[in-house]
Structure formats: C-alpha cells, structure tokens
Amino acid sequence: MQFDDLLRRYFATDDPGAITPGAMTAGIERMQVDLGLEKDRSRRFALWTLMYMLGRAPDLERVFPDPADREAARNFMDLSDRVQQPSQEGEGAS
C-alpha cells in the first residue's frame, strides 16, 4: 500500500491539505473498519501507520498480536516523533 493510494481510497484525494473535516471523519471510520477486518500483516501495518500519523491509531496490543509487529510499530512511532521534533544540534554553540 502506497501512502497516496491510501489517501485516495479513504479521503478521495492524494492531497492531505484538501481533506475536509467531514471527509477526515468518514475516512477514519472506514479505516477503523478495514483495520479490524484486514488479515494481511503488512496491510494492517500500513493502515495503522496512517492512523497514527492522523492521531487516531488504536492501541498496539489490540492491533498487533505478534510482538515483532508491536516492536516495528514502536520503532515507527519513535522515528516519527524524532522527525517531528526540531533538531537540537547546534543550539548553544557560539
């Protein structure tokens, strides 16, 4: 699953800035249903990561019964958090 494919499937656009609040709510509801029904591990992970980026990811323990999948999700969360935090390098150097 490609990011832009997921956006088109759930929000009818590949431009995140064009998603209306109503489309966001409806798309997240469809993602929740699909996540609950999806059996393929990689597709479940792709859905969960998009939901995480949108601030709507369900608990890891419920979504990923396999400990390796939970660890991969935690790694994704850590990497995502690092990307979102401003760099501390160079601060205080004169």
Side-chain angles (χ1 to χ4, degrees):
M1 293 183 144
Q2 299 290 326
F3 180 70
D4 55 344
D5 293 336
L6 288 171
L7 289 177
R8 280 191 297 274
R9 177 182 176 116
Y10 293 104
F11 305 108
T13 182
D14 57 4
D15 178 7
I19 301 170
T20 66
M24 179 67 73
T25 300
I28 289 172
E29 287 174 5
R30 286 193 304 276
M31 289 173 63
Q32 290 169 331
V33 170
D34 286 353
L35 182 65
L37 297 173
E38 185 61 61
K39 302 295 183 206
D40 182 83
R41 289 173 62 197
S42 61
R43 288 180 176 265
R44 284 181 66 80
F45 192 81
L47 285 169
W48 182 87
T49 56
L50 179 54
M51 293 175 78
Y52 179 79
M53 289 187 289
L54 297 173
R56 298 295 299 267
D59 182 60
L60 294 177
E61 302 294 323
R62 286 190 9 222
V63 176
F64 302 115
D66 186 307
D69 293 341
R70 287 193 301 268
E71 185 61 25
R74 285 186 191 100
N75 288 339
F76 174 81
M77 291 165 54
D78 290 343
L79 289 171
S80 177
D81 289 346
R82 280 190 222 148
V83 168
Q84 292 179 13
Q85 293 175 356
S87 174
Q88 301 284 327
E89 292 181 31
E91 286 185 18
S94 307

